[in-house]
Every structure is written in structure tokens, then in C-alpha cells.
Amino acid sequence: MTTDAARGTRSGGTRRRSATRASGNGASTGGRRLVIVESPAKARTIGQFLGDDYIVESSIGHIRDLPSSAAEIPASHKKEKWARLGVNIEAGFEPLYVVPPNKNEQVKKLRALLKDADELYLATDEDREGEAIAWHLLEVLKPRVPVYRMVFHEITRQAIEDALANPRDIDDYLVRAQEARRILDRLFGYEVSPVLWKKVAPRLSAGRVQSVAVRLVVEREWQRMRFKAASYWDVDATLASREAGQDGATTFGARLIELGGKRVAQGRDFDPETGALSGSDVVLLDQAQAQSVAERLGSTTFVVADVTERPYTQRPPAPFITSTLQQEAARKLRYSAQRTMQVAQRLYENGYITYMRTDSPALSSQAVNAARNQVRDLYGDAYLPESPRTYTSKSKGAQEAHEAIRPAGESFRRPEQVARELDPDAQRLYDLIWKRTVASQMRDATGLRTQVRLSADAGDHGQATFQTGGKVITFPGFLRAYVEGSDDPDAELEDQERVLPPLRTGEEVDPRQVDARGHETQPPARWTEASLIRELEERGIGRPSTYASIIQTIQERGYVWKKGTALIPTFVAFAVTNLLLRHFPDLVDLGFTARMEERLDEIAEGEREQKPWLHAFYFGDPDAAEDGMARDGLHKTIDEGWEAIDARAVSSIPLGRDEQGREVAVRVGRYGPYVQVGDGEERASLPPETAPDEVTIADVERLLHQESLSDRVLGHDPDTALPVYLKTGRFGPYFQLGEDPEPKSKEKPKRASLWPGMTMEHVTLEDALLALEFPKVLGQHPETGKDVTVQDGPNGPYVKSGTESRSLEGGHAQLAEITLEEALKVLAEPRKFGRRGPSQSVLKELGEHPDTKANVTIRSGKFGPYVTDGTVNASLPKGRDPQALEMEDAIELLAQREEKMRAEGKDPRAKKPATRRPAARRKGTSTRRRAG
């Protein structure tokens, strides 16, 4: 464990820091060479391209970091007040770097390999994190041999050979930028998180970008909670031209847009928070009016009032950068950002694509030539532009690797050529990257858009104006290879076209059907991972390498959960956002956070010094133009502001008022969210994974009513004389035998859920005693001697003996009456799986996996509920309700488990060898073979 004792050498303004610790400025040609990369997979791939003179080994990520616990602090620093923080704020924000215990063995291994090496090549990724890893390796290993920084953007033989021939020095500015970001995030988290512990709940965390992302999700949910739906009607017509088009089409649809000279109201005309019509220059149709108009127009001739045709051109999208790859993989493949990056990392490390953390859409000349050659070969010269297309970043702070994500090599392998080498996840992502790259070098798509306005006499309602539009693609261009959001470009080309029959101004058309249609305005859509990434990127918050980890973090820390693809905030997220917005608004200000990213970029470019900027952020800048935190600094702002925080106020989320005018609110307590009316004692726990915008006053009244019936003594157990209680908890009502345990007691009272048909209003002591009977031992199995029990499980009642269990198809009625003989008959039946029927452990059937076609189920296991497709098992996150899990969530959990297994060197789809029990040895026989 070491601190950085030589950091004074890094305070200069030079762009590069020499990595060479011995003589020599370039790669030599003799001796034994050690090449260090970040991951074992990358090491294996690079090792294939190098000879016997090279040893390729992995650092397995960072080998040094700030201490994560008190146990990691070196003995020489334990008495320092700043040691737990890991940053000496009084000495120029000097970081305390330590080698974590789990990296000690790897460091020893690298040192041993280095002893026999004549040269060291640091081949980590060429971005801030990779540059920092290389620098830490240099500081920890302290090599006495020449050291070279080896960089490349793809792992191919040519790229590796070029990198060996053209090494460079460590980029000191990138190292400083990464270090500044790490220190900044540590200061932010260690100052703000304790405030959350004291004022909201223990074990919460705050993060510089994480808290801003949570704020965006919470504010969108607030919009949905304030939203007031409004109803409106319009009229659709199916019209028929008296002349057929080239494809024989005569009918087309049109919608009413004006009536009596006024525009007909649509969803955008209503205030989302009041439901009231926003303007007076529109006409709002109710059901009766719309039906009257439709009836009148059903027998009226329509006249074409205007036909407008405009040509259009559609340019291909730029090649993928990190954020656009995550967004498109979410739309097309339903991958989470984390899953996309895991699969992309695997593709990169195995030599299939270029580096996947980049915000530059530019392609190298080699890539442009490869793409243009494939366009010519696959689609012909008509689809190839005269000159190559070039793309530049729209992001102000674009940095990191300087080429887009594309297939690796000087000629691209087509998806069908690598299909057998890749697993399904990797195959689909490679296909997406290949299509996008090739399409980026194709011609524009061109077409013709037609807009038609028609008029008809609506009688007393005045003149009615309808509108329709058509679209014809005259040249598909890049759409032949790639359409955003579509898996099948050819099918999408047909869907994109909407052909109208030939229509002329003044022409009469006949109504085939005219219908009045009612609508209701919809609240703003929740963020998805794709849309949230796009929002963060557009606002300049975070960087490509951080988006996946940000979204993963806010879910793992209990601020956000997923329902399908939608991101839903928890009530804890509301409380944390309330606290930060009311008392420390700068910390979650979108502009302030974006400016911090810009400052880090300036450090990376050598335009700003690291330590003075950190000092100004933490201690404040008296000369700052802005008031607030910029002038006072993070430490003073938090230190002087946290005591004034009203914990009850920030942890209250108002829902409205009940019929008596009392405020109804959700409050976040130390043991989870609960609902409360006014300041009284009426309160009830909220079920886990409750969407905030779905909690109504009626829900609160129902929960409070259930709570009023709880903690009721139904009577006493005749056998034990213990009281029998009716209670409610986070997962609903239940019976309890005996008193609540002491907080630290390991003894838990017996509990049982209410059976189907039982209600809190009408349950009796007999009902409770019946439910509490189980699990019940019916007797012993005559063959094994093991107990035969009957139990009530999450998926219903079942019988069990040893490891064998079977569901009771008769439900709770059979549970109450079953005998030992009947239970033995049930256990003797063959076990039912999959589509033939659920086994006792199945909590929920989700259906067929879209890729493997295996049946996906959620089951109860020894260590809690898990999802399985029969081959891969993935535990559900703590607190996740199995019944709320959807197929998309299950697929995501299985994919994450597969990635983890691959990282551990295991094949997740490998067939497990059958296990045989050793045959029982007969009495009197020997285990030793007799001689002779």
C-alpha cells in the first residue's frame, strides 16, 4: 500500500510524461517483453498475435484506488483525520492510493513476471481510465527496464503490430483528469451521503452525476403525478377516390383538423396539470358533437381543396458512438446500457469491433475504404456516394478514443461470416454495428411527401376540413442496409411508404366510413435507459464511459427500478431529490454539473490545473461571480446547511387531500415508505415497487383501513396460550402467533399469510389457527424414513419429503384435509415441469425466451427467488417482487448472469455433467480388488 510520493513531478505543463524508466525512447528488438492489459480476455486475444518473446498478462482492472474502508488504510495513516476520506484536503488534495486486498496476488504475479522481462509494455485502453491504469502500474511496479505505452483502437494483428512499432509516453493530462474526477466524486459522496443518512435513511449514497440522473427521473414522475387527463373527440374518415393509383389503391384515410373555421382540439391543446383547454382559438368536440358531425359527413361528398408535393432527402445516421450504441441497442435489441457495454467489451477484446468507449463518430480512412467496398459489393455503385462521407462530433466535450465504433480490421467481416463464432447477444450487437457502419457510407434516401386537404359540408357545424398525407420512397439509399429502430430494413421500407391514389385539386371523393373517436390525453412518458442517456448526453452531463454505470448504480442503490423498459423512481429517490433541491440546489443543477464536466475536459487538454480547481470546488472561490456553492465551496455549504434541514418535510410526498380536507402524503421512514393522513397516527406501509404516480387517495384509504384492522388479537392458541394476532406488512396481511420479537432477537414468531377467500374484516380465530398449522408433519415416508410435510408456499400449497416436492392441485382446500396416504400418492406422481404444469417452486411463468426458446420461470430457491431458463439461473435483486417481474426484466437478469459467468471463465451454456450417486456396497464385499 503506497501513497503517491512523487506527485510533485506531475505539476508541470507538459502534455506527455515519459513512461521510460531506463534508457531508450522507442521499442527495442530483443529480449523478453511483458505486455500488461486490463482484462484476461484482452490478454488472450493479443497473445495470439505475439510470439514466444512476449508474455501478455492482465491487471484485472485498476490495481490501486482510494481506500474503500477503514481496514484498507495503511497503519502509518490511520491517525490522520483525512485518511478515511482518502484525500488529504490540507495538502493539495493529495490522494491516498492503496492496493486493495483482492489485488495483492495479481500485483505479486506482475512483479514476478517483470523480474524476468527486459521491456514492459503498458497496453491499457487509450482513454482516461486506461491511461490512469497504466500510470498506476508504473507507480506500483517501479520497473527498472524500459517502459513503453502501447495504444490501439482495435485488437487485430495489424493494429497490434503498429502499436508495438509506434509506442508513446503516458499522457499526463489524461491521468490528471481521471484523478481529478475520482477525487471530485469521493469528496461529493463523502460530504453529501452522511446528510442523507441523518435526514432520510441509513446507507443511502449521493453521487455527482448519479444524483442528477435521479433528479431527472423523479421530476418526470412528478409531472405524471400532477397530470390531469382530459377527454376530447375527433372524426376519422375512410375516403375513396374515383380513380385507382398505379398499385390499384383507391381508398385512403383522413382526419378532421378544422370545423367551422376553427382548429379541432388535439391532445397538445390541454394543460397537463389542470386538464383545461389551453387556447380559445380551437373547438373542443364532445361525444355528441363528434357523432353528429360523423353522421352528417357519412353521406356528403368530399372535395380535394389542396394537394402539396415536396421532395425530401434523408441522410444516413453517423456511425455509432457509445451513447448512440446504447440507445439503439435498447430500442432494437431491448438491451440495458450495462448489457450493451458488457457485450461490446467482449466483442472488442476478441477482435471483432473497435474500442467501444468513444464520443467521436469519425471513421479512419481504413474503415471508410472497407465500408465503401462492402457497399459496392453488396448493393452496387448506385448506392455509393461519389466521395466518402465524413462525420464530426456535435458534443462540445468530445474526447476519449478518436474513432467511431465499427467492425475491426481493414476489411469488415459480414455478420453471417462470424455468426458461428459469437453467442446470440454478441451476434446481434455485431450485426447492428456492421449495418450502421456500412449505411454511414451509402447515398441518401430520397422520396416525395404529399399533403392533401379536403373539405366537406358539415351542415350546422360549418365547413369541415380533413387532412391526410402520403410518402413515397423514390430511392432507398442507405435504408436498404439500415433503418433506425427496425431489425428488417426491407420490411421497414414497405412500412415507411404510405401510398395515396392520384388526387387533384377540385376532385370529388366519396366517404366509405366516417367515425367519431374519443381520446384521452396521456401523461409524459417515463424515461427509459435510452432516452435518459440521450438527455444526459445532450445536457453535457457524464461521459460515454459513465452512462452504463450511472444507470446501473441508481438501480442497485434503490433509487430507481424498472418496469419493462420504463425507469420508475422509488419514494426514497423523491426524499433525496427533495433534500438536495431545497437545500443544496447547485449539487443537482443540470448546468452546474455540465460545467464540472467541461472543467474536467479542460484538465484533460492541459488547459486547467487540477489542484487549484479542486481547492475552489471544495473550499470555495471568493472571487466567483456566482453566489452559493461556487463561492462558499462544497464543505462549507454542507457543514453550515445540513442542521437546518427538516427531515419530515423533505421525506414527505403530498398526494392531495381527502374528503375531510386533510393532507394525504407518502412519507419515507427509516424502514421504508408509508402513507399518512394529516399529522395523526393513521399510517400504513406501502407495498414494495409501488409506482408513485399510481398511488391514489382511494389506495391510501384502503391501506389505512387494512391497517386499522391489524394488530388485532383474534384470540389465544389453545395449545400454547399465546395470543393470535392479525397484522399487516409490506407484503399484505398475515397471522402471527405470539408477540413481536425484540429488535436483535433471532427468535421469530410463527407467521402465515391469509388464505384465498379470507378477508381482514371477516377472519376468525379458527381461520388463523388453521393457517398457522402449516407446515405440518403428516408422518414418515415408508421408504426413506424422512418426514412428509404439507406446506403453504408463495405459489400455493405443496407436499414435501426430503428433496422431493409436489404441488397440490386441489389448493388450500386439499391442504386442510390431506392425509399421509394421500400425500404419498401425490409424491409418487411424476414431477411436472414447463408447459405440462408448474412445479412447487415456480412463482411465476413468464413464457418462451425469444432467443433460446426455453421456458422462462421465476422460482423460489434456498437463497431466495431466482429466474431461470432451465440452464442459467439468476437471483432477483434484494427486495424485488417476483410477481412484478416481466419477461424483459428476466432476460436482462439472465444476460447479466451470463456475462458474470464468462468473466469468471465459465461457459454459461455448457452442459453440466450428470452426477451419479455411488452404488451401495453389498455387505461383506471389499472395496479392494482381490489378487489373482
Side-chain angles (χ1 to χ4, degrees):
M1 292 186 245
T2 60
T3 59
D4 178 14
R7 300 186 67 79
T9 63
R10 300 207 300 116
S11 60
T14 57
R15 174 66 178 172
R16 307 284 186 186
R17 181 190 183 192
S18 175
T20 307
R21 289 295 181 93
S23 60
N25 295 318
S28 66
T29 57
R32 194 161 179 79
R33 299 144 185 169
L34 174 62
V35 180
I36 302 179
V37 297
E38 307 98 313
S39 74
K42 189 175 177 182
R44 285 193 297 271
T45 307
I46 291 176
Q48 297 172 8
F49 304 131
L50 301 177
D52 295 337
D53 292 337
Y54 291 87
I55 299 172
V56 187
E57 187 52 65
S58 165
S59 66
I60 315 179
H62 278 278
I63 61 165
R64 282 203 313 183
D65 197 4
L66 304 178
S68 60
S69 66
E72 291 186 6
I73 299 172
S76 58
H77 290 81
K78 281 192 180 292
K79 294 183 180 180
E80 302 287 353
K81 291 182 179 180
W82 55 268
R84 181 67 182 90
L85 179 62
V87 180
N88 190 345
I89 57 177
E90 302 295 343
F93 292 85
E94 195 72 23
L96 172 64
Y97 286 124
V98 299
V99 177
N102 64 340
K103 290 299 177 73
N104 282 329
E105 288 301 317
Q106 195 65 18
V107 170
K108 288 179 183 176
K109 183 178 182 180
L110 293 174
R111 282 176 174 156
L113 291 171
L114 186 59
K115 284 182 180 179
D116 298 327
D118 299 304
E119 294 176 355
L120 173 62
Y121 287 83
L122 302 174
T124 51
D125 294 334
E126 192 183 16
D127 59 12
R128 294 175 188 177
E129 288 297 321
E131 209 73 15
I133 291 173
W135 180 79
H136 282 295
L137 285 166
L138 200 63
E139 294 295 307
V140 171
L141 299 179
K142 302 186 184 306
R144 298 172 180 266
V145 297
V147 182
Y148 305 102
R149 179 75 173 102
M150 174 180 165
V151 294
F152 41 84
H153 296 137
E154 61 183 6
I155 304 178
T156 59
R157 183 177 299 278
Q158 185 62 51
I160 299 304
E161 290 175 354
D162 290 345
L164 283 170
N166 300 283
R168 65 160 172 80
D169 296 326
I170 288 177
D171 189 325
D172 192 43
Y173 293 150
L174 287 182
V175 174
R176 276 193 272 173
Q178 188 276 341
E179 183 174 80
R181 179 186 294 275
R182 185 71 184 94
I183 293 173
L184 178 67
D185 290 343
R186 173 59 68 98
L187 295 174
F188 190 107
Y190 274 49
E191 286 284 350
V192 182
S193 296
V195 178
L196 304 183
W197 305 341
K198 294 168 185 172
K199 297 298 182 178
V200 180
R203 296 187 296 277
L204 295 178
S205 69
R208 181 177 55 86
V209 180
Q210 161 197 321
S211 297
V212 173
V214 171
R215 173 192 171 174
L216 290 171
V217 178
V218 166
E219 287 183 334
R220 178 59 56 87
E221 197 72 9
W222 263 127
Q223 292 175 341
R224 292 175 63 88
M225 293 170 72
R226 292 193 298 263
F227 177 79
K228 294 291 187 294
S231 298
Y232 64 95
W233 286 72
D234 59 17
V235 179
D236 288 343
T238 301
L239 306 173
S241 170
R242 295 167 186 175
E243 296 182 22
Q246 291 181 351
D247 62 352
T250 59
T251 60
F252 60 96
R255 173 162 293 184
L256 177 68
I257 60 169
E258 291 179 7
L259 188 64
K262 285 189 174 183
R263 187 169 58 82
V264 175
Q266 298 294 312
R268 64 180 180 275
D269 297 309
F270 295 89
D271 187 307
E273 294 191 15
T274 65
L277 196 62
S278 302
S280 58
D281 59 339
V282 295
V283 56
L284 174 61
L285 296 180
D286 59 23
Q287 183 176 1
Q289 290 172 312
Q291 289 175 344
S292 175
V293 171
E295 185 177 351
R296 164 71 184 180
L297 295 177
S299 57
T300 302
T301 299
F302 285 66
V303 178
V304 178
D306 182 57
V307 179
T308 305
E309 291 184 338
R310 290 189 179 90
Y312 74 90
T313 300
Q314 185 177 351
R315 292 175 58 83
F320 281 129
I321 59 176
T322 304
S323 61
T324 55
L325 177 64
Q326 291 170 349
Q327 293 167 45
E328 189 71 344
R331 283 192 293 263
K332 282 191 175 182
L333 308 179
R334 298 291 185 180
Y335 289 1
S336 68
Q338 187 81 358
R339 182 178 176 188
T340 298
M341 294 309 292
Q342 288 171 338
V343 177
Q345 177 91 30
R346 201 161 72 247
L347 285 170
Y348 165 66
E349 291 176 344
N350 287 285
Y352 290 98
I353 63 171
T354 54
Y355 190 54
M356 68 290 162
R357 291 187 179 93
T358 174
D359 50 13
S360 171
L363 291 173
S364 65
S365 57
Q366 171 185 278
V368 169
N369 290 335
R372 287 175 63 84
N373 287 338
Q374 288 208 323
V375 172
R376 184 182 293 109
D377 294 342
L378 295 173
Y379 304 105
D381 288 334
Y383 285 82
L384 193 66
E386 292 180 4
S387 58
R389 290 185 179 274
T390 58
Y391 297 89
T392 57
S393 176
K394 296 178 182 178
S395 173
K396 183 179 178 181
Q399 38 83 22
E400 312 287 2
H402 303 297
E403 188 176 5
I405 304 169
R406 63 167 178 86
E410 57 187 20
S411 62
F412 300 160
R413 287 180 287 177
R414 296 198 299 275
E416 60 270 21
Q417 293 174 316
V418 300
R420 293 188 177 182
E421 303 170 19
L422 302 176
D423 61 82
D425 277 5
Q427 184 181 341
R428 281 192 293 271
L429 196 65
Y430 181 85
D431 179 73
L432 195 64
I433 293 167
W434 178 85
K435 285 178 178 175
R436 178 93 164 211
T437 308
V438 171
S440 73
Q441 292 300 316
M442 294 177 71
R443 284 188 180 274
D444 297 339
T446 59
L448 196 66
R449 285 196 176 96
T450 305
Q451 183 173 296
V452 181
R453 291 169 69 93
L454 307 103
S455 62
D457 182 8
D460 295 339
H461 300 284
Q463 195 73 7
T465 301
F466 282 70
Q467 183 172 288
T468 188
K471 177 182 175 183
V472 176
I473 298 172
T474 56
F475 179 69
F478 76 92
L479 295 173
R480 184 60 67 193
Y482 179 84
V483 181
E484 279 191 299
S486 170
D487 293 325
D488 186 348
D490 288 329
E492 183 65 17
L493 284 175
E494 296 178 10
D495 292 341
Q496 283 201 350
E497 291 197 341
R498 187 183 178 198
V499 181
L500 294 174
L503 298 170
R504 301 181 305 276
T505 303
E507 179 183 348
E508 294 184 347
V509 296
D510 302 318
R512 289 285 176 85
Q513 186 172 341
V514 183
D515 297 311
R517 298 190 184 277
H519 305 275
E520 192 171 79
T521 55
Q522 298 298 314
R526 289 189 174 101
W527 295 109
T528 63
E529 290 197 6
S531 60
L532 184 59
I533 288 170
R534 184 172 63 248
E535 183 75 6
L536 291 171
E537 181 186 32
E538 289 177 355
R539 291 182 178 273
I541 297 168
R543 284 296 178 259
S545 58
T546 66
Y547 292 136
S549 62
I550 289 167
I551 290 177
Q552 188 74 8
T553 296
I554 64 178
Q555 292 179 69
E556 289 177 348
R557 294 184 178 173
Y559 292 125
V560 171
W561 57 283
K562 285 176 74 173
K563 186 177 183 179
T565 60
L567 298 174
I568 302 176
T570 61
F571 285 107
V572 172
F574 274 78
V576 169
T577 301
N578 281 345
L579 186 152
L580 295 176
L581 279 174
R582 294 180 190 180
H583 298 276
F584 311 114
D586 281 347
L587 297 182
V588 285
D589 180 76
L590 305 181
F592 181 80
T593 307
R595 286 193 296 275
M596 282 196 283
E597 293 289 357
E598 292 173 5
R599 302 298 174 264
L600 289 167
D601 291 342
E602 290 167 2
I603 293 171
E605 292 299 322
E607 299 170 1
R608 182 176 293 272
E609 286 294 323
Q610 166 195 5
K611 292 181 179 179
W613 179 69
L614 286 170
H615 187 279
F617 171 77
Y618 191 72
F619 289 115
D621 181 3
D623 300 324
E626 310 101 310
D627 291 329
M629 207 195 83
R631 182 170 293 176
D632 295 336
L634 175 69
H635 179 68
K636 184 178 178 181
T637 300
I638 300 296
D639 193 50
E640 295 182 355
W642 77 268
E643 288 186 348
I645 298 171
D646 183 340
R648 180 182 173 85
V650 299
S651 296
S652 298
I653 299 96
L655 300 177
R657 294 186 177 275
D658 65 7
E659 293 180 355
Q660 287 77 42
R662 298 174 299 176
E663 183 187 55
V664 179
V666 175
R667 305 197 194 281
V668 177
R670 300 185 79 79
Y671 303 104
Y674 60 93
V675 293
Q676 186 174 22
V677 176
D679 295 324
E681 293 300 318
E682 288 185 275
R683 61 175 63 183
S685 296
L686 269 175
E689 293 195 349
T690 300
D693 79 325
E694 296 174 4
V695 182
T696 65
I697 303 295
D699 292 330
V700 173
E701 291 174 347
R702 177 179 53 80
L703 290 169
L704 290 173
H705 175 64
Q706 285 188 349
E707 189 67 26
S708 70
L709 299 173
S710 70
D711 288 328
R712 183 155 51 102
V713 177
L714 298 175
H716 288 74
D717 178 27
D719 296 331
T720 64
L722 292 172
V724 178
Y725 287 95
L726 174 65
K727 289 179 170 286
T728 59
R730 295 175 64 200
F731 298 96
Y734 61 93
F735 302 116
Q736 178 175 302
L737 180 63
E739 305 292 343
D740 287 330
E742 294 296 325
K744 295 183 179 180
S745 173
K746 294 183 179 179
E747 295 291 329
K748 301 296 181 185
K750 191 170 185 180
R751 292 169 176 163
S753 297
L754 274 64
W755 287 9
M758 293 182 182
T759 63
M760 293 187 71
E761 291 84 355
H762 302 105
V763 291
T764 63
L765 175 62
E766 288 71 26
D767 293 330
L769 293 174
L770 177 62
L772 288 166
E773 268 188 57
F774 302 93
K776 181 167 68 174
V777 177
L778 299 176
Q780 282 70 47
H781 199 290
E783 296 178 7
T784 65
K786 294 181 178 178
D787 286 345
V788 177
T789 61
V790 58
Q791 308 184 34
D792 188 15
N795 197 48
Y798 62 98
V799 293
K800 183 177 182 181
S801 182
T803 59
E804 290 294 315
S805 58
R806 301 289 186 274
S807 296
L808 292 178
E809 296 182 1
H812 288 80
Q814 188 179 7
L815 173 68
E817 303 291 338
I818 194 167
T819 64
L820 175 61
E821 291 72 23
E822 291 169 339
L824 292 172
K825 287 181 181 178
V826 173
L827 287 168
E829 295 173 359
R831 183 184 288 273
K832 298 177 181 178
F833 289 104
R835 295 176 181 173
R836 292 180 293 170
S839 72
Q840 118 345 265
S841 65
V842 176
L843 304 181
K844 188 176 181 181
E845 293 273 1
L846 293 175
E848 189 178 86
H849 194 295
D851 301 328
T852 64
K853 306 305 179 186
N855 192 44
V856 179
T857 57
I858 303 171
R859 295 173 177 263
S860 59
K862 182 178 180 181
F863 303 102
Y866 64 97
V867 61
T868 180
D869 63 359
T871 304
V872 178
N873 301 335
S875 297
L876 268 63
K878 188 177 180 181
R880 196 75 185 269
D881 181 5
Q883 296 301 327
L885 207 74
E886 302 294 338
M887 175 63 86
E888 288 179 349
D889 304 315
I891 292 172
E892 187 62 41
L893 289 170
L894 290 170
Q896 290 177 4
R897 176 59 184 157
E898 286 191 47
E899 288 299 329
K900 186 176 180 181
M901 292 176 72
R902 287 192 183 94
E904 295 169 352
K906 303 173 185 175
D907 182 357
R909 296 288 165 186
K911 290 185 178 179
K912 296 177 182 177
T915 56
R916 288 186 180 180
R917 294 181 181 177
R921 190 160 47 90
R922 288 178 297 173
K923 251 185 178 181
T925 60
S926 171
T927 56
R928 192 179 297 172
R929 180 174 292 187
R930 295 186 180 183

